[in-house]
Amino acid sequence: MKPSRDLVLPAAAPTGPEAIRYTARPGLKALPESMTTMLGFGALGLFPVFVFLWAVWWPYPTTPTTWTFAIGATILIVGLSAAVFWLLFGRRPAQILNWLLAPFMRITVTDRRVLWTLPWRRRPLYEIAGERVRGGLLGDADRAGIGAAAIMLFPGDPAGDAHGLVHFDRLPDVAGFVDALVRLA
């Protein structure tokens, strides 16, 4: 994949422009596989809510008593649904925000750093300096070159997991990504 010419990067250092070695916008493929499962179960969970609301509002309320019941039952159903949603997702707002932003993110490896950028922001969302990168790990890839990879960071780096890795699933041109990381290290 060739680097995009419309990408504007802020200068990392005053020594001159950066050379882009890899860039990709995975799109919907950037969503974690667990997100698809969660969305599937969430959709199944919404079905009974709509059935309950349909049962409450059909037939259409015509008397003050049926109106009071319909409005009260709707408030109860929506309130319980919101409480379940809050129990599932309310304690992890940063993770939910990352899931919502993932399809729009562009991953770029330059000769100095690794960047995560969004089209509507001038500054990078995340950035890892080249001095922190030890290399890259290549995982399985399909025929189109879409696969798994990881950035290897030095032990104790706060951006990595317990093993010092930053994982990627379904990344386009995964071999080019790892090659750019190896040349960065």
Side-chain angles (χ1 to χ4, degrees), residues 80-143:
L80 289 173
S81 300
V84 168
F85 183 81
W86 177 256
L87 286 173
L88 290 174
F89 302 112
R91 297 183 183 145
R92 296 177 289 224
Q95 184 178 10
I96 300 301
L97 180 64
N98 287 340
W99 283 345
L100 293 174
L101 294 178
F104 306 104
M105 212 159 299
R106 181 188 310 229
I107 299 164
T108 305
V109 180
T110 69
D111 58 347
R112 297 182 195 149
R113 57 193 173 156
V114 181
L115 299 153
W116 287 259
T117 57
L118 293 168
W120 58 83
R121 288 186 58 164
R122 190 158 175 81
R123 308 196 110 209
L125 190 61
Y126 303 113
E127 178 179 343
I128 296 177
E131 299 84 37
R132 296 168 49 192
V133 176
R134 287 185 7 200
L137 294 174
L138 180 61
D140 294 332
D142 62 9
R143 292 182 198 162

Side-chain angles (χ1 to χ4, degrees), residues 166-178:
V166 178
H167 301 272
F168 296 91
D169 293 328
R170 297 186 304 262
L171 194 63
D173 186 22
V174 70
F177 175 70
V178 173

